[in-house]
Amino acid sequence: MKLFKVIILSVITSLLILAIPQNTSAAMYVSASSAVLMEQDSGRIIYEKDANTKRRIASITKIMTAVLAIESGKLKEKVTVSENAVKAEGSSVYLKPGEKIALEDLVYGLMLRSGNDAAVAIAEAVGGSLDGFVYMMNQKAEEIGMANTNFANPHGLDDHENHYSTAYDMALLTRYAMNNDTYKKIASTKTYRQDNPTEAWDRVWKNKNKLLTSLYEYSTGGKTGYTKRAKRTLVSTAEKDGLSLIAVTLNDPDDWDDHINMFETAFKKYTMETVMEKGDLKDVDSKFYKKKLYIKQGYNYPITEDEQNLFSVEYKLAPVKKTWKKDASKVPNIVGEVEISFDQKIVDTIPIYYKHTEKKGKSFIDYFKSIFFAISGVDGNG
């Protein structure tokens, strides 16, 4: 009888465990003070821990410095290295005062070797001065939506009290940066050789990001950071089976393992679901709009197996005007939007376009026929 009771109790306990909702975030653990795991394409937050707490960020600051350098359009231009740049403390690519070096090379030195001298040289070249560049950094941060960030230098050294960001904001920045092919190429480079014809030696820079160079096969880039006050900071990206992820940790003594754990947990539990495919919208009720609407972009979203039925899609179309019925050329190109919701929350809106029928012009032969008939007085329809 006792054995029977134990068996029943075990079965009930097992059923109760299965009934508990499985929280993916709970399955992850990081030793960082702050952390975020974001899916890149959709921006969905898969995991977070004190994600909006302002903290020192050390050299992951240089992601913003790299972005501004790339967007300046001056990567092939030569930069003359100043005394001020050479005097930068901490990690260095050992620039020499008066040396002329391509801005592109400086960005590689910045991202792969975390050169503080490269950061100052970039700032002076792109911003005109350190202050000018810092202004640009904060302008770009505001543009991206980094609401809890303030930059005070281009490298992340602890020389200012008002230099800070959050794990979430740094994920936003990285998501923005990863949309730039040049940034993606630089951030994913394992080794870079900088040949300087004015010197008798070459520079060979190996990326400090061990996830990329040796620890994790799905790594696609990122940026390391460390100062005495910020401690270890790390931004990394990874991709597998169409799922692109961004991980950020601030003040993390075990960042390599934490990032791998976050990535692996997400890759096992999440897949990209196609919610909308680009092209014609077939399920439109309006007689006027039927077979005349399309979207230029599709929409994918990362979900777990249990989240398949949490999507809803709604077409929001402009009221049809009488003038449109008389003259379809007056219908605007965009006539509404697709509103996509997940778990009763709007996650994206996509513009809906109207198909305008192209008016066919007269062919070359028709043109000369009309001239002939006009001159001869013959009815072309006869």
Side-chain angles (χ1 to χ4, degrees), residues 111-382:
M111 291 296 292
L112 273 64
R113 298 306 300 166
S114 204
N116 294 329
D117 49 354
V120 174
I122 290 169
E124 292 176 339
V126 175
S129 66
L130 283 178
D131 288 343
F133 190 76
V134 166
Y135 176 80
M136 292 173 65
M137 294 174 81
N138 288 310
Q139 243 188 350
K140 178 60 71 171
E142 184 177 351
E143 176 190 323
I144 295 170
M146 301 171 70
N148 293 303
T149 297
N150 189 73
F151 292 108
N153 61 51
H155 38 58
L157 287 173
D158 293 327
D159 58 3
H160 289 77
E161 291 302 316
N162 62 334
H163 187 93
Y164 55 82
S165 187
T166 68
Y168 176 74
D169 278 7
M170 291 307 297
L172 284 182
L173 172 59
T174 305
R175 185 186 181 204
Y176 175 87
M178 289 296 284
N179 284 321
N180 185 295
D181 289 338
T182 301
Y183 176 87
K184 283 173 69 175
K185 178 185 175 184
I186 294 172
S188 65
T189 298
K190 296 180 180 180
T191 304
Y192 181 74
R193 179 181 293 275
Q194 189 271 315
D195 301 315
N196 191 339
T198 64
E199 300 289 343
W201 50 275
D202 300 334
R203 293 185 174 108
V204 179
W205 294 324
K206 184 177 180 181
N207 203 317
K208 288 185 176 183
N209 182 1
K210 290 183 180 179
L211 290 175
L212 179 70
T213 59
S214 61
L215 294 180
Y216 194 56
E217 62 178 313
Y218 303 113
S219 175
T220 57
K223 183 70 191 75
T224 59
Y226 174 81
T227 66
K228 288 182 179 179
R229 296 180 68 184
K231 306 303 180 187
R232 291 179 66 89
T233 62
L234 179 63
V235 172
S236 69
T237 57
E239 185 175 351
K240 180 184 178 184
D241 297 333
L243 195 65
S244 300
L245 301 174
I246 298 166
V248 181
T249 49
L250 306 180
N251 186 12
D252 188 352
D254 195 21
D255 48 13
W256 304 126
D257 287 341
D258 283 339
H259 280 235
I260 291 172
N261 175 47
M262 285 192 286
F263 288 143
E264 284 297 293
T265 303
F267 285 141
K268 286 174 184 175
K269 298 200 172 195
Y270 286 82
T271 55
M272 289 300 286
E273 176 78 10
T274 300
V275 184
M276 293 287 297
E277 291 186 354
K278 70 177 183 180
D280 294 347
L281 298 182
K282 297 176 181 178
D283 50 345
V284 178
D285 294 330
S286 167
K287 289 183 180 180
F288 179 84
Y289 284 130
K290 203 170 188 66
K291 295 184 179 180
K292 296 176 182 176
L293 303 181
Y294 68 99
I295 55 175
K296 292 183 179 181
Q297 64 186 79
Y299 185 74
N300 301 318
Y301 198 76
I303 60 170
T304 64
E305 192 175 339
D306 299 332
E307 295 175 330
Q308 293 279 351
N309 300 317
L310 296 180
F311 289 105
S312 65
V313 175
E314 184 179 356
Y315 299 159
K316 296 202 166 181
L317 298 169
V320 178
K321 296 181 179 181
K322 290 181 181 179
T323 53
W324 298 358
K325 292 180 179 180
K326 293 179 181 179
D327 184 359
S329 67
K330 292 184 178 180
V331 180
N333 290 328
I334 297 175
V335 292
E337 62 184 18
V338 180
E339 191 175 87
I340 301 171
S341 296
F342 177 76
D343 197 16
Q344 299 182 338
K345 294 178 182 177
I346 298 171
V347 291
D348 203 5
T349 55
I350 300 173
I352 297 176
Y353 291 84
Y354 181 84
K355 284 184 180 179
H356 286 277
T357 305
E358 293 183 10
K359 292 182 179 180
K360 294 182 179 179
K362 288 184 177 180
S363 68
F364 192 66
I365 294 173
D366 289 338
Y367 175 74
F368 278 101
K369 275 185 179 180
S370 65
I371 294 176
F372 170 78
F373 291 138
I375 294 172
S376 62
V378 178
D379 185 356
N381 294 322

